[in-house]
Amino acid sequence: MISPSLRFVLLLLLTLPTRGASLLLTNAVVHTAAGPVLPQASLLVRDGKLSAVGAVTEGADQTIDLHGQHVFPGLIAPTTILGLQEIDAVRATRDTTEVGAYTPEVSTWVAVNPDSELIPVARANGYTHAQPIPMGGVISGQSSVIALSGWTVEELVVNRSAGLHVFWPSFTLDTTPKERAANPDDWKSPEDQAKERDKKLRELDDFFSEAEAYARAKSAKGTNGLRPVPAWEAMLPALRGEIPLFLHADEYRQIQSAVNWAVRRKYRAVIAGGRDAARLAPLLSTNRIPVAYEHVFTLPPRDIDPYDVQFSAPAILQQAGVKVSFCGGVGEFGASSIRNLPYAAAQAMAFGLPREEALRGLTLYPAQILGIADRLGSLEPGKDATFFVADGDILDLRTHVKRMWISGQEVSLESRHTRLYDRYRNRPKSPR
């Protein structure tokens, strides 16, 4: 008997268009993300690109009637550890953190595991791309953008350098008296904690000043013999504004400090995490700083906060003019829970975020932040043919993803979940 997974592969080989062939998808509800929803529309795919979207009169080598199903751009997961961590409790499956406080030369794409069981799980609910990020230290390194389909790391990687990551020093002070501290020997007064934080901020600022001095020396005439410094070489794209600085910050004063620092230095910045970002919406809007928001389902941090403070934060930011993308963060379930991110956007939609903004927060805005919006994030002619077909709105928990294409190639939606389902659905029946 042929297994369900082998049956799918054989069917895919029989139906998959050959390279250079064209594919026409008809009778679909097309959610372009960049524009309006198109009912009874078509998509024409040629050479891995979208040739036409909407009313298509051309023929194709293969035509698929979708019978009113919905087509969405592939979802993009920013600031995640997908591909870098498999099981949080098993150290050998975690490759998220580098040793050292300042390691801007570290790049995540080389550490991604293309055989991760969590990649197909994310893909099964519409995710086609992700941004694995480095952790550890203050400047942890550079993130990459990967496609969630491919045999090798080289096949997966779309953008090797998508951003430089800075974990901003915390402004929270522990005011527990020494006699009540869990470890009295490690106790520090609030004053000493504040001095330690200020020292970290000065060291961070000095590191960027030295990198800028290196950049100026390198661009000056007569410096052909300048000895390359790997750490500062890696920072040059961020200093030139070619890639953004992802400033990881959650608390109010932490975000405020990070934004003011980036504005003073005229850096292109993104706030990652952003738990209290809604309280600083005017500051973020004025300086055009987007937010990769991961706290929709986080409990209210203060006892005076309303129950919906995190539910309504994306709407508050959007109303102020801040672009919000949804991410799962880097916690212990950051990689395994990516498939649930559409429901975080749906929750924000229930608390005031317009539906089109919720969808863009999963598609177009992450693509813009990561510098890949010319290829991904929306369904427009000229972009990669990366999309999925679902039997309803992806923001609805009841919706199922039926088919997916990445760069014009259909990919399997099989995962460990579907394999286990098939296995136990077909288990031998015990006699009565």
Side-chain angles (χ1 to χ4, degrees), residues 86 92 185 369 402:
E86 199 71 7
D185 294 340
I369 290 173
K402 296 298 186 180

Side-chain angles (χ1 to χ4, degrees), residues 80-83 85-88 116-119 121-122 328-329 331-341 417:
T80 181
I81 51 176
L82 181 65
Q85 175 175 294
E86 199 71 7
I87 304 172
D88 182 64
S116 169
E117 290 280 9
L118 300 180
I119 287 178
V121 172
E332 57 182 329
F333 301 114
S336 59
S337 62
I338 283 180
R339 67 179 188 271
N340 294 326
L341 282 181
H417 294 187

Side-chain angles (χ1 to χ4, degrees), residues 39-296:
Q40 295 185 330
S42 300
L43 295 94
L44 180 61
V45 177
R46 291 188 187 279
D47 299 319
K49 298 287 186 179
L50 286 172
S51 177
V53 178
V56 180
T57 57
E58 301 177 54
D61 298 320
Q62 181 184 3
T63 301
I64 300 175
D65 189 340
L66 294 180
H67 301 287
Q69 294 186 102
H70 297 249
V71 180
F72 295 87
L75 308 185
I76 303 170
T79 61
T80 181
I81 51 176
L82 181 65
L84 302 178
Q85 175 175 294
E86 199 71 7
I87 304 172
D88 182 64
V90 180
R91 177 63 186 88
T93 70
R94 302 198 312 264
D95 200 5
T96 60
T97 305
E98 188 58 78
V99 176
Y102 294 90
T103 56
E105 69 276 16
V106 168
S107 187
T108 57
W109 72 271
V110 296
V112 169
N113 174 18
D115 294 320
S116 169
E117 290 280 9
L118 300 180
I119 287 178
V121 172
R123 200 167 60 213
N125 206 32
Y127 274 90
T128 60
H129 291 79
Q131 178 203 11
I133 69 168
M135 298 170 59
V138 181
I139 301 179
S140 60
Q142 300 184 40
S143 59
S144 309
V145 177
I146 61 169
L148 301 188
S149 178
W151 284 96
T152 66
V153 173
E154 288 77 11
E155 286 185 14
L156 264 62
V157 68
V158 173
N159 184 356
R160 298 190 177 191
S161 181
L164 182 66
H165 292 260
V166 178
F167 286 78
W168 205 255
S170 174
F171 274 63
T172 299
L173 300 177
D174 187 353
T175 58
T176 304
K178 185 175 183 179
E179 58 273 13
R180 295 173 55 188
N183 297 304
D185 294 340
D186 298 330
W187 181 85
K188 294 179 181 179
S189 68
E191 292 77 14
D192 288 340
Q193 294 175 53
K195 290 178 181 178
E196 189 175 277
R197 176 199 65 211
D198 293 341
K199 179 183 177 182
K200 291 179 180 178
L201 289 171
R202 286 195 300 271
E203 290 174 349
L204 173 63
D205 197 54
D206 289 345
F207 192 86
F208 272 87
S209 294
E210 292 169 359
E212 288 186 351
Y214 174 83
R216 289 193 296 270
K218 186 173 182 178
S219 61
K221 293 182 179 180
T223 58
N224 294 330
L226 185 67
R227 184 176 180 180
V229 179
W232 292 338
E233 284 286 335
M235 293 182 64
L236 293 179
L239 299 181
R240 294 193 291 255
E242 297 169 4
I243 61 174
L245 274 176
F246 283 83
L247 304 175
H248 294 257
D250 280 324
E251 53 190 295
Y252 180 91
R253 290 177 299 168
Q254 189 184 24
I255 296 173
Q256 186 178 51
S257 172
V259 169
N260 289 335
W261 174 83
V263 170
R264 174 171 61 85
R265 284 191 168 271
K266 299 180 180 179
Y267 292 151
R268 177 184 162 199
V270 178
I271 293 296
R275 186 196 67 192
D276 294 338
R279 301 176 65 194
L280 290 159
L283 177 66
L284 295 167
S285 177
T286 299
N287 294 289
R288 298 182 179 179
I289 296 178
V291 175
Y293 189 70
E294 66 179 71
H295 291 288
V296 171

